[in-house]
Amino acid sequence: MKNKFVKYTLLAVVVVAVFATTLFATRNDFGLGRNMEIMVNLMHAISTQYVDEVDADEMMQNGAEGITSKLDPYTDFIPEKDMPNFEAMTTGRYGGIGALIRKKGDYVIIAEPYKGSPADENGLKIGDKIVAIDGKDMKGTNVEDISKRLRGEPNTTVKVTVERLLTGEREELKIRRRRIVIPSITYAGYVAEGVGYIRHADFTDKCYDDMRSAILRLQSEGELKSLILDYRNNGGGVLQSAVKVLSLFVPKGTMVVETRGRGDKSHKLYTEYEPLLPNTPLAVLINGNSASAAEIVAGAIQDLDRGVLIGQRSFGKGLVQGTTPLGYNSYAKITVGKYYIPSGRCIQAVNYSTDGRAEQVADSLIKEFKTARGRKVYDGGGIMPDKRIEPQYVSSFAVTLFLLGIIEDFGDDYIKRNSSKPIDVKSFSITEEEYADFVKMTMERDIPYKSESRAALEKLRKSLTKERNTSLNEALDVIDKGLRDDKQSNLETFRKEIIEQINQNIVLRYAYAEGVIANSLRNDKEIGEAIKILSDKAEYERIITKQDTLRK
């Protein structure tokens, strides 16, 4: 390891010298060349002189993290070992068996097989336990290690021994890996007469084709009078893919986003294809997790008065990243500019400085802009929807039940009893008797849960005790008795959302992630509001022609 590192270090010094000579000739940036040489010499000194042997890759990783830590959170060093994950994130493709996995007890289990994947075709089900891979016992192995073992080049074979959830029997499967394509469109269907709905999960390099195919399928199934695009929890992705998706809805040659970088460098991006739906009324759903490319699409549709935005203010990521090769299959992901949507506004919510500070855009600096038809919109952080809907939060108690695996355990028991019983995916819900069974099972479990109210009450008691103030004890006792946040009370108070989580866990076993979305649509407030607006032509036109957005 030492000799190898010394060889690469000497090579790096030569590269630095050559690079620095060229750099000085063009920019006279002596400081950069000097510090690059110092960094290489520091790594060489530590590698050859430090009391213990130091891993060169780990030292490089630590150094890169130090350099980027004072910049924005999106500028990063991507070493060779992390490139498969980065490529999977940007392309939606990787080599493997096509299943999500998670730790449960001493083993890792199948958490979700992708529909049509090698895992699915080999009969792997949610809850099946991975006991061995290529003959090696996997007891006590973590998720990351098993994931690495299951992934690999397409057309190679991996032997996976599983213990079946339904039978408890062990079975060895020879699974041929394939190029797994994670769909960017996770659901497309009709939610009302003539009202189509598309859930768009991320912006990979093929998402335009997926979106176009989804629209064509909806048109083949009925008359597509209006369309809901769901960008909630879409964290973005490839900038160019956002431009392509927008070309489905706006005229060819429309400027939809501009990037501005260092030294006043600017680049405007225009749609390049004839639109598939040039006039179909649109409703776009966004929330606080809609970011980056998702905000470009939503923001451009709003700025061009092409549709109505519904939900909550988006995340506010207006920074553009580019990748630069560093050698040995490693890359730097660097923020190279900001993007501006058609009205001219940048929706970046946080300003980052090179000394590590991150500051929200001050209210006094928020600026007003105009849409294509003259409506007022604002910058300063995220896209503000035209129709704001209060977010629906899942209680911490319901989250605790999920994280402890209690909901999954109930799903395991349900599927064991009803594996041959078909369900209607869109309308399925457990019965009152089945929820009573869930309550009974939960009451027998130890749940380390404490409500925020009780935690605050206990903190107040401790503070009063330290201050030797006992005058409020009786009042606090009354509050304590009135909290009603024990297990039994919580199972009744949060009954509706717990049942929804149970339903989704069971539907996932029958109909994959697509079925879960179909099951959840009936109780979705934002979708209900979108259907209402799209069904009222006068209200829809009023919003996109006359209604200003809120400033904050």
Side-chain angles (χ1 to χ4, degrees):
M1 174 62 78
K2 283 186 177 180
N3 290 337
K4 183 178 180 182
F5 178 72
V6 170
K7 179 179 70 175
Y8 288 158
T9 300
L10 292 174
L11 176 61
V13 171
V14 173
V15 172
V16 167
V18 173
F19 177 76
T21 301
T22 305
L23 188 68
F24 300 158
T26 57
R27 291 187 53 204
N28 194 29
D29 194 347
F30 175 74
L32 177 61
R34 178 193 64 200
N35 287 303
M36 289 173 65
E37 186 174 350
I38 290 172
M39 177 64 76
V40 171
N41 290 337
L42 173 63
M43 293 180 66
H44 179 258
I46 291 175
S47 177
T48 56
Q49 299 175 33
Y50 188 69
V51 62
D52 297 317
E53 187 167 346
V54 178
D55 182 85
D57 292 336
E58 185 176 344
M59 183 162 48
M60 180 64 226
Q61 182 77 42
N62 292 338
E65 289 175 359
I67 291 171
T68 59
S69 64
K70 294 293 185 179
L71 306 175
D72 64 79
Y74 312 109
T75 296
D76 198 11
F77 169 65
I78 308 171
E80 182 177 17
K81 66 181 181 65
D82 291 343
M83 279 305 297
N85 291 333
F86 179 72
E87 290 171 355
M89 181 179 66
T90 55
T91 65
R93 299 185 294 275
Y94 68 94
I97 68 168
L100 296 177
I101 57 177
R102 78 172 189 84
K103 186 82 170 180
K104 187 173 185 180
D106 291 333
Y107 288 92
V108 168
I109 65 169
I110 299 296
E112 179 189 343
Y114 296 143
K115 184 177 181 179
S117 67
D120 185 33
E121 292 172 353
N122 279 270
L124 289 177
K125 303 293 184 183
I126 294 173
D128 286 350
K129 186 187 299 180
I130 300 174
V131 295
I133 297 178
D134 290 329
K136 183 176 180 179
D137 184 20
M138 291 292 107
K139 183 176 181 180
T141 308
N142 60 36
V143 169
E144 183 180 5
D145 187 43
I146 286 188
S147 179
K148 289 179 180 178
R149 292 173 183 272
L150 293 177
R151 289 193 179 194
E153 290 297 316
N155 296 319
T156 59
T157 301
V158 58
K159 294 180 181 178
V160 183
T161 304
V162 297
E163 183 179 300
R164 296 293 189 179
L165 171 68
L166 294 181
T167 64
E169 297 179 356
R170 294 196 173 188
E171 181 179 354
E172 183 179 270
L173 304 172
K174 293 182 179 179
I175 304 178
R176 184 172 294 277
R177 300 182 180 96
R178 283 209 305 263
R179 178 67 67 188
I180 305 300
V181 179
I182 303 172
S184 58
I185 305 301
T186 52
Y187 183 83
Y190 280 92
V191 291
E193 181 65 32
V195 182
Y197 169 85
I198 295 176
R199 175 78 64 89
H200 189 175
D202 53 32
F203 284 85
T204 58
D205 58 358
K206 297 294 183 183
C207 72
Y208 166 79
D209 296 327
D210 294 341
M211 177 68 80
R212 184 180 177 86
S213 296
I215 292 172
L216 291 173
R217 181 163 65 82
L218 287 175
Q219 290 178 321
S220 71
E221 294 174 356
E223 184 182 1
L224 186 60
K225 300 177 181 178
S226 58
L227 179 63
I228 301 170
L229 299 173
D230 194 342
Y231 284 106
R232 291 173 298 181
N233 303 315
N234 183 317
V238 181
L239 174 67
Q240 288 75 11
S241 293
V243 177
K244 288 183 178 180
V245 167
L246 281 165
S247 71
L248 293 164
F249 309 109
V250 301
K252 180 180 178 181
T254 301
M255 197 284 286
V256 290
V257 65
E258 177 185 3
T259 63
R260 300 177 192 170
R262 188 171 175 176
D264 296 324
K265 290 182 179 179
S266 171
H267 181 55
K268 294 181 178 181
L269 286 81
Y270 299 81
T271 54
E272 298 180 358
Y273 309 114
E274 292 295 339
L276 190 59
L277 300 178
N279 301 308
T280 303
L282 300 176
V284 181
L285 308 185
I286 58 173
N287 66 7
N289 293 321
S290 305
S292 189
E295 292 177 292
I296 291 175
V297 171
I301 286 175
Q302 185 179 60
D303 281 358
L304 297 170
D305 298 309
R306 181 61 187 84
V308 174
L309 270 57
I310 299 170
Q312 301 88 47
R313 182 194 287 273
S314 63
F315 181 82
K317 181 182 181 292
L319 303 178
V320 183
Q321 282 73 49
T323 55
T324 299
L326 303 176
Y328 300 99
N329 202 29
S330 62
Y331 287 78
K333 179 164 68 76
I334 301 173
T335 296
V336 294
K338 294 181 179 181
Y339 66 74
Y340 296 77
I341 49 181
S343 65
R345 56 182 168 146
C346 178
I347 53 83
Q348 177 63 21
V350 179
N351 290 326
Y352 298 98
S353 62
T354 54
D355 61 1
R357 288 183 292 113
E359 298 176 344
Q360 296 286 333
V361 176
D363 289 349
S364 60
L365 298 178
I366 294 176
K367 298 176 183 177
E368 177 185 303
F369 295 82
K370 295 292 182 65
T371 68
R373 297 186 182 183
R375 296 189 298 145
K376 294 178 183 178
V377 290
Y378 301 90
D379 64 4
I383 304 293
M384 182 65 78
D386 300 303
K387 181 69 176 182
R388 178 173 168 77
I389 305 293
E390 286 300 316
Q392 293 178 285
Y393 297 107
V394 178
S395 68
S396 57
F397 180 74
V399 172
T400 299
L401 296 182
F402 175 80
L403 294 176
L404 290 175
I406 296 174
I407 289 174
E408 182 182 60
D409 290 344
F410 184 80
D412 288 347
D413 291 340
Y414 182 94
I415 206 70
K416 287 176 182 178
R417 296 191 307 269
N418 301 282
S419 59
S420 61
K421 179 181 175 182
I423 67 170
D424 185 315
V425 170
K426 291 186 177 180
S427 63
F428 173 79
S429 182
I430 59 172
T431 65
E432 294 293 322
E433 293 77 13
E434 287 165 340
Y435 187 69
D437 291 339
F438 176 80
V439 170
K440 182 180 179 182
M441 183 186 78
T442 304
M443 292 300 295
E444 295 171 354
R445 302 286 186 94
D446 181 26
I447 301 177
Y449 169 78
K450 186 182 296 182
S451 70
E452 292 183 13
S453 300
R454 185 166 297 282
L457 180 62
E458 291 179 0
K459 185 176 180 180
L460 179 58
R461 282 189 186 277
K462 289 180 180 179
S463 298
L464 291 173
T465 299
K466 287 181 180 179
E467 296 168 359
R468 299 186 180 183
N469 184 346
T470 59
S471 62
L472 296 176
N473 283 351
E474 289 185 10
L476 295 181
D477 289 340
V478 173
I479 296 174
D480 197 345
K481 292 178 181 178
L483 285 181
R484 289 182 54 79
D485 64 345
D486 57 282
K487 276 193 295 186
Q488 185 74 53
S489 297
N490 284 328
L491 285 164
E492 184 58 37
T493 300
F494 305 115
R495 175 192 186 94
K496 182 180 178 181
E497 60 190 77
I498 294 171
I499 287 176
E500 287 179 358
Q501 287 199 34
I502 294 172
N503 291 343
Q504 291 176 14
N505 182 271
I506 293 172
V507 169
L508 181 65
R509 300 163 188 266
Y510 283 92
Y512 309 92
E514 185 179 3
V516 172
I517 296 172
N519 183 263
S520 68
L521 296 179
R522 55 186 170 166
N523 297 317
D524 195 306
K525 288 174 60 178
E526 278 95 344
I527 291 177
E529 186 63 32
I531 294 172
K532 180 181 176 181
I533 292 174
L534 290 170
S535 301
D536 188 339
K537 183 179 293 186
E539 176 64 4
Y540 177 83
E541 286 296 322
R542 184 196 68 79
I543 292 174
I544 66 172
T545 59
K546 299 179 181 179
Q547 180 177 296
D548 300 331
T549 65
L550 296 175
R551 189 171 185 272
K552 57 178 291 187

